[in-house]
Amino acid sequence: MTSEGSAVVAGGGIGGVTAAIALRRAGWDVVVLERAPELREVGAGLSIAPNALRALDAIGVGEDVRAAATPSWAAGNLRLPGGEYLRRADPEHDTALSCFHRADLHRLLAARLPAGTVRTGATVTGVSTSAAGATVRYRTAEGEYEVAAGLVVGADGIHSTVRATLWPDAPAPRFRYTAWRGVTRPGSVWPEDGTFTFGPGAYFLAHPIGSERVYWALGVHADTPGVRYPDNLAEVRRRLTGWHRRVGELLDATPADAVLHNDINDLGALPTYVRGRVVLLGDAAHAMTPDMGQGACQAVEDAVTLAATTGDLAAYDRARLGRTRAIVSTARRKGRIAVSRSRLVHRMQVLGLRRAPASIVRRETGRVWDWTPPGTAEAPGGR
Ligand SMILES: Cc1cc2nc3c(=O)[nH]c(=O)nc-3n(C[C@H](O)[C@H](O)[C@H](O)COP(=O)(O)OP(=O)(O)OC[C@H]3O[C@@H](n4cnc5c(N)ncnc54)[C@H](O)[C@@H]3O)c2cc1C
């Protein structure tokens, strides 16, 4: 095999693994280089929206992903810290999100790749490109290597080495706020089907993720990145004191060591995701705050679009730049409002959520969720 038909994917997260599946289907010989010693997702839960399900349909994995998903109506069940509902999901007209433990979704996708496709313990250290192809440098415990490829995909996350090498002027990730996440098994005390609770300066999200597990996330305003606490669960409880009963029940059921704390960052817009035969996708290209629930969904869209445009990478840019930029900036704006400490901003947000007609809310969501993969006349899997 010459390097012409071979693709190297840097990073084996959800974006990288999906790209590998999509490229293989398009006839590429693919290797994924992943720096972690084993292929697994860390983190808690994840929601996948209909746009990403359709992308997964286009590469033959949508059915399995749907079968493994747990529906969550959190996008429609909106509450205040006192428990009052601002809005309730209407299963007849609304669409559920498909929720997972990240590790479950990642495992399901990775299982579609033949053994040997992913090389773990392989850290990409640099990349160069020409019109004809590209070269990737990587390091393993055994030594340093170079590999030539007809296509290199930078799917190496928000702190991407591929981006740092070929996009030296790219803006650095920007800190936006901070978040805690947990996965718990609250058992029969949690009869709900997903909720979103909006308080001043904070939001609390809960999604069922199957096997009686619930994933929760707390996003809060923070002035400074990197501030850490000795007991994350105690810190979350402190911040949610007085919030409604369901929040307390989830926290009561959460083991202290099941709580993760991460700062939330995003990326400023890049002028292009393509340099010669190297492309960026997912968080490496357009990391966003989680406020649209679209980071992984957009990585999946990127992957499927890329597989359809490898012969004309400018088409990849045309298809992806505008859409992902718009979603990054909407997520940033929503996040800013959701964690704003201003009582006025919070009151305006609550007013908007309470008063906006359901048809308008659905139309807004539809702009993101109605995406169809390239070459698909209409959604193959529907919603
Ligand atoms: C709190 C929170 C909640 C979220 N919720 C959602 C949600 O509900 N729905 C949704 O769609 N999105 C959500 N997201 C966003 C989503 O997690 C990311 O957008 C998605 O995981 C990005 O996938 P990726 O494959 O592009 O990058 P990553 O998941 O970051 O994967 C990058 C991979 O590259 C590897 N790597 C890095 N550097 C190198 C190197 N030099 N060499 C080799 N390998 C390397 C890493 O080890 C990693 O495996 C959320 C994010 C956060 C923070």
Side-chain angles (χ1 to χ4, degrees), residues 207-218:
H207 285 309
I209 56 168
S211 307
E212 299 184 345
R213 295 166 301 177
V214 175
Y215 155 59
W216 60 257
L218 165 67

Side-chain angles (χ1 to χ4, degrees), residues 11 14-15 33-35 46-47 102 122 124 155-156 161 282-283 293 295-297:
I14 287 172
L33 300 175
E34 166 56 52
R35 74 175 167 195
L46 191 73
S47 65
R102 275 173 185 263
V124 171
D156 49 347
T161 300
D283 279 10
C297 294

Side-chain angles (χ1 to χ4, degrees), residues 9-17 33-36 39-41 45-49 102 106 122-125 154-162 179-181 203 205 207 215 217 262-265 281-285 287-290 292-299:
V9 178
I14 287 172
V17 166
L33 300 175
E34 166 56 52
R35 74 175 167 195
L39 191 64
R40 69 188 174 98
E41 261 284 333
L46 191 73
S47 65
I48 292 294
R102 275 173 185 263
H106 189 250
T123 301
V124 171
T125 53
D156 49 347
I158 187 167
H159 301 292
S160 166
T161 300
V162 175
W180 285 265
R181 290 175 285 170
Y203 66 80
L205 165 76
H207 285 309
Y215 155 59
N262 298 98
D263 290 333
I264 301 295
N265 302 292
L281 68 70
D283 279 10
M288 57 188 76
T289 66
M292 295 285 285
Q294 280 288 322
C297 294
Q298 291 304 305

Side-chain angles (χ1 to χ4, degrees), residues 346-380:
H346 177 60
R347 274 205 298 275
M348 299 296 288
Q349 180 190 31
V350 169
L351 200 68
L353 294 172
R354 203 195 297 273
R355 295 269 172 83
S359 56
I360 293 188
V361 176
R362 280 186 209 112
R363 202 182 315 141
E364 286 293 305
T365 322
R367 283 201 190 117
V368 176
W369 288 9
D370 287 348
W371 179 89
T372 51
T376 316
E378 61 187 76

